[in-house]
Amino acid sequence: MRQGARLADEKRSRRRVTSVDVAREAGLSRATVSFVLNDTPGQSIPEATRQRVLQAAERLGYTPYAPARTLRSGRSDVAVFVLPDWPQGPTMTEFVDRAAQVLSRAGLTLVTHVHTGDEQRLARLWTTLTPAAVFGMRPFTSVELAGMRKAGISAILPAAEESGHDVSTTLWAKGVGRLQAEHLIRKGHTRLAYVLSDEPRLAALGQGRAEGAVEACAAVGLAPPIVSTIALDATSAAEATESWRDGASACEAAPTAVCAYNDEVALAILAGMRMLGLSAPADLAVIGADDIPGARFAAPPLTTVAQNSGELGARIAKALLEALEGGSPDLDLLPGDIHVVERVSA
Amino acid sequence: MRQGARLADEKRSRRRVTSVDVAREAGLSRATVSFVLNDTPGQSIPEATRQRVLQAAERLGYTPYAPARTLRSGRSDVAVFVLPDWPQGPTMTEFVDRAAQVLSRAGLTLVTHVHTGDEQRLARLWTTLTPAAVFGMRPFTSVELAGMRKAGISAILPAAEESGHDVSTTLWAKGVGRLQAEHLIRKGHTRLAYVLSDEPRLAALGQGRAEGAVEACAAVGLAPPIVSTIALDATSAAEATESWRDGASACEAAPTAVCAYNDEVALAILAGMRMLGLSAPADLAVIGADDIPGARFAAPPLTTVAQNSGELGARIAKALLEALEGGSPDLDLLPGDIHVVERVSA
DNA sequence: CTTAGCTACTATCACGTGTAAGCTGTCAAT
DNA sequence: ATTGACAGCTTACACGTGATAGTAGCTAAG
């Protein structure tokens, strides 16, 4: 008897609180409860009734059950950021956080998923989460897009149509490279190098950044930068810098300044230069990208391109919301999204 | 007429493929389809029928609709890692990726959520995702745990009961600090300092790591390390090192070696030492933590403690799966999870 | 010949929600 | 006095799935 009662109690307490419970508590029908809680338009509900419902819900601690709501409405309140598997800088946290903040205000919950190239895992993401909105750092492939459409995802950025047009990652990438080159040019350098990392996962992004530098050079009539790829160690970096000198005597001038794909590559270059007895910016100016915390502790302190991740995150989030409303927002990089942090190395 | 037909077609094609469609295609009832696709035990289904169902499902490209399944079964196939808002090192990607890989094999999809202290947003995470399993880098508060229980989440790590016992983050933290101190002691140092970052979000983790160093010193009968907190710049670091010398003459010996909370703090210390004309490890040995890419490019190259993130991620994932089965796994740090990377600075 | 048991399925309920459709009572307009 | 409109509700269906409780047909034991 006692145990029976406890079991019944257990059962009741374990069961989730549903709108039926709220309706019973308020002495109304479930429909009315739903109308009140969702502010359903086209319903006339007196303030007294409204309060009765709200207080009953509050009293019972009611929270609508998302899967049921999604099943019924076909829309979930989940947004997903698909992050590339390349090492996340500290800047990513801020980016995601601000985006989450904006989306949260619209009732969306943001989660992130690191994509490692396993297409199967990515495909399951759409079906198990059924997100309302998805943002990816790189353009999606047509297969991925097909899967998402099939899963009923309406807001996807970057959008399919733009895949020819440079967007998202590629766009920012270009912007970063352009800014790096422009800074060096402004400093009087006329012959540049661009150094990429040999990490294969970074190839695409590196290509984008390098292209930005190429454009910046072209814009002022300079020859395109020499592009080198190095491993992330001092020796490899030293070899690259020496190769420029050697190649120079033959046909054209050696670069006097170098854009690094990111700050880590830049640090490697500085380390390589130290091996060779060279110093920045006198012998070779070096500019990095991303402004990692260690950049300011380098010898010499590293000049770099920083991005205003928070702003970018917020803008992406707003664009997603606009896409949810049926719009087709553009993700163009605005001036002020990225800027040069001038220290010593360039 | 023509338009009507197109609309109907549109409607049919937009609608998602359900098990009803598969049943119709296979000429069977929906129940049979469900039995086959879920390998429901206790059902006798001839191979011919089974194939009929599987082929129909394949032909139509059927994928079960997660919200409906969750609504029915009460369990979703989502796992969430709640990440702290402190800057994520490159190591985190590997950690999450390996965990995702293990969970994926068990049919779970892993997503991550950065927690910035906004409790409301975190609370909504449980209700909008209804995850089956949750892992947090720090112990959850009782309020958070209550919310999760209410949302019906069964697998939570670190578990509530262990919150007194040092787990998870705190545990690893201690392990890192201990390893740092042990390395310095092995090198013959008898007086240590521990330098924390003034970034408030890192306070808890820093405390944990410092405690590990305290324990290591106590274990061999040494005085506990002097604990200093610095801002992430060279001047602040230089001030700290000088303060040790000044304080030393008064009562006790000045530290000859320093554990940094992480590599960035270590780089700041090296930069500060450079300002003072000191060099590592001769004047002061420095050991960092996390092994960021820039550590090897420091002058001198930084000795640090690295963690085997992939292994750790896989273990956490397995522990979550065990918790899902009703077990209560422990998350103890194993030898080999973290190790010293000896370079030059210590 | 009945009955029990097995195979191979089907009918139907339950999960919790949103909402269209309908129902009752009141009050103003005709 | 009848109609119509409207406020303020309720009833009932649909979303897609998993699983329980069956049922029709067949075989074999009694």
Side-chain angles (χ1 to χ4, degrees):
Chain A
M1 177 61 193
R2 190 199 171 100
Q3 194 174 7
R6 204 189 304 170
L7 270 175
D9 215 40
E10 178 80 354
K11 210 167 187 178
R12 199 186 326 137
S13 71
R14 278 299 174 202
R15 222 197 42 194
R16 64 179 325 115
V17 180
T18 76
S19 59
V20 173
D21 300 318
V22 178
R24 193 185 309 124
E25 176 85 3
L28 290 163
S29 79
R30 208 177 53 72
T32 308
V33 170
S34 176
F35 292 150
V36 170
L37 295 181
N38 295 323
D39 275 337
T40 310
Q43 297 291 335
S44 64
I45 294 171
E47 190 56 26
T49 308
R50 175 174 299 263
Q51 285 307 321
R52 204 141 50 99
V53 170
L54 291 177
Q55 282 168 20
E58 172 74 20
R59 210 155 36 225
L60 298 178
Y62 169 71
T63 40
Y65 189 47
R69 194 209 282 264
T70 302
L71 172 60
R72 169 62 226 216
S73 67
R75 287 244 169 100
S76 79
D77 291 335
V78 178
V80 183
F81 272 24
V82 179
L83 300 182
D85 61 342
W86 64 63
Q88 302 304 325
T91 178
M92 192 54 83
T93 307
E94 202 188 335
F95 177 77
V96 170
D97 180 43
R98 282 296 309 279
Q101 195 177 324
V102 171
L103 290 170
S104 171
R105 229 169 283 148
L108 292 182
T109 296
L110 178 63
V111 295
T112 56
H113 180 91
V114 284
H115 175 47
T116 56
D118 185 334
E119 286 301 328
Q120 204 180 349
R121 236 149 79 194
L122 194 58
R124 268 224 299 244
L125 184 63
W126 322 135
T127 62
T128 63
L129 277 190
T130 59
V134 176
F135 169 76
M137 296 292 283
R138 59 150 174 76
F140 291 104
T141 68
S142 55
V143 190
E144 290 163 350
L145 281 167
M148 292 160 78
R149 301 272 183 216
K150 193 181 147 202
I153 304 174
S154 53
I156 304 173
L157 289 180
E161 307 82 50
E162 306 182 61
S163 61
H165 187 234
D166 285 317
V167 284
S168 175
T169 284
T170 323
L171 185 83
W172 307 1
K174 269 197 182 178
V176 169
R178 196 175 313 134
L179 217 54
Q180 288 177 304
E182 282 170 2
H183 176 79
L184 295 178
I185 293 167
R186 202 178 313 119
K187 286 282 177 177
H189 298 278
T190 55
R191 186 77 187 120
L192 309 184
Y194 208 104
V195 180
L196 300 174
S197 164
D198 67 344
E199 163 70 53
R201 295 173 297 183
L202 299 177
L205 187 52
Q207 209 57 43
R209 290 188 173 178
E211 263 174 48
V214 170
E215 284 179 11
C217 287
V220 295
L222 291 181
I226 304 177
V227 176
S228 306
T229 299
I230 66 166
L232 225 51
D233 62 72
T235 330
S236 176
E239 280 168 15
T241 54
E242 282 192 315
S243 78
W244 300 330
R245 316 230 142 189
D246 298 348
S249 49
C251 53
E252 47 188 353
T256 57
V258 49
C259 309
Y261 157 71
N262 66 8
D263 286 349
E264 277 140 21
V265 169
L267 292 178
I269 295 171
L270 290 180
M273 288 171 63
R274 215 172 304 149
M275 278 178 57
L276 299 174
L278 303 176
S279 78
D283 301 310
L284 188 66
V286 178
I287 186 169
D290 295 349
D291 194 23
I292 63 174
R296 64 161 68 85
F297 306 129
L302 186 65
T303 293
T304 187
V305 169
Q307 52 185 303
N308 198 339
S309 309
E311 267 324 299
L312 277 167
R315 265 236 312 293
I316 296 282
K318 280 172 195 154
L320 269 184
L321 292 176
E322 193 183 331
L324 263 181
E325 302 291 331
S328 44
D330 54 346
L331 299 177
D332 286 335
L333 195 67
L334 298 183
D337 284 340
I338 54 178
H339 62 276
V340 173
V341 178
E342 184 165 358
R343 298 207 175 92
V344 179
S345 71
Chain B
M1 177 65 196
R2 191 198 170 101
Q3 194 174 6
R6 204 188 307 169
L7 270 174
D9 215 40
E10 176 81 353
K11 210 168 187 178
R12 200 187 324 140
S13 72
R14 280 295 174 205
R15 221 196 44 195
R16 65 179 324 117
V17 180
T18 75
S19 58
V20 172
D21 299 318
V22 178
R24 194 184 309 124
E25 176 85 4
L28 290 163
S29 78
R30 208 177 54 71
T32 309
V33 170
S34 175
F35 292 150
V36 170
L37 295 181
N38 296 322
D39 275 336
T40 309
Q43 298 290 336
S44 65
I45 293 170
E47 190 55 27
T49 306
R50 173 174 303 261
Q51 285 308 321
R52 205 141 49 100
V53 170
L54 292 177
Q55 282 169 21
E58 171 74 20
R59 209 155 37 223
L60 298 178
Y62 169 72
T63 41
Y65 189 48
R69 192 208 283 263
T70 303
L71 172 59
R72 169 63 227 220
S73 67
R75 285 241 171 99
S76 80
D77 291 334
V78 178
V80 183
F81 273 24
V82 180
L83 301 181
D85 61 342
W86 63 64
Q88 302 303 326
T91 178
M92 191 54 83
T93 308
E94 202 188 336
F95 177 77
V96 170
D97 179 43
R98 281 298 307 278
Q101 195 177 322
V102 171
L103 290 170
S104 170
R105 227 168 285 148
L108 292 182
T109 296
L110 177 62
V111 296
T112 57
H113 181 90
V114 284
H115 175 45
T116 55
D118 185 333
E119 286 301 330
Q120 204 180 349
R121 235 149 79 195
L122 194 58
R124 265 224 302 241
L125 185 64
W126 322 136
T127 63
T128 63
L129 277 190
T130 59
V134 176
F135 169 75
M137 297 291 284
R138 59 153 174 76
F140 291 103
T141 68
S142 55
V143 190
E144 290 164 350
L145 281 168
M148 292 159 79
R149 300 274 183 216
K150 193 180 147 204
I153 303 174
S154 53
I156 305 172
L157 289 180
E161 306 85 50
E162 308 182 59
S163 61
H165 187 235
D166 285 317
V167 283
S168 174
T169 284
T170 322
L171 185 83
W172 307 359
K174 270 197 180 178
V176 170
R178 196 175 313 134
L179 216 55
Q180 289 178 305
E182 281 170 1
H183 177 79
L184 296 178
I185 293 168
R186 204 177 313 121
K187 285 283 176 177
H189 298 278
T190 55
R191 185 79 187 114
L192 308 185
Y194 208 104
V195 180
L196 300 174
S197 164
D198 67 344
E199 162 70 53
R201 293 173 299 181
L202 299 177
L205 187 52
Q207 210 58 41
R209 289 188 173 178
E211 263 175 49
V214 170
E215 284 179 10
C217 286
V220 295
L222 291 181
I226 304 176
V227 176
S228 305
T229 299
I230 66 166
L232 224 50
D233 62 72
T235 330
S236 175
E239 280 168 12
T241 54
E242 280 192 315
S243 77
W244 300 331
R245 316 230 142 188
D246 298 349
S249 49
C251 53
E252 46 187 351
T256 58
V258 48
C259 309
Y261 157 71
N262 66 8
D263 286 349
E264 278 141 20
V265 169
L267 292 179
I269 294 171
L270 289 180
M273 288 171 63
R274 215 172 308 153
M275 279 178 56
L276 300 174
L278 303 176
S279 78
D283 299 310
L284 187 67
V286 178
I287 186 169
D290 294 348
D291 194 23
I292 63 175
R296 65 162 67 87
F297 306 129
L302 186 65
T303 293
T304 187
V305 169
Q307 52 184 302
N308 197 340
S309 308
E311 271 320 304
L312 276 167
R315 267 237 309 294
I316 296 281
K318 281 173 195 155
L320 269 184
L321 292 176
E322 192 182 332
L324 262 180
E325 302 291 330
S328 44
D330 54 347
L331 299 177
D332 286 334
L333 194 69
L334 298 183
D337 284 340
I338 55 178
H339 62 276
V340 173
V341 177
E342 184 165 358
R343 298 206 176 93
V344 180
S345 71

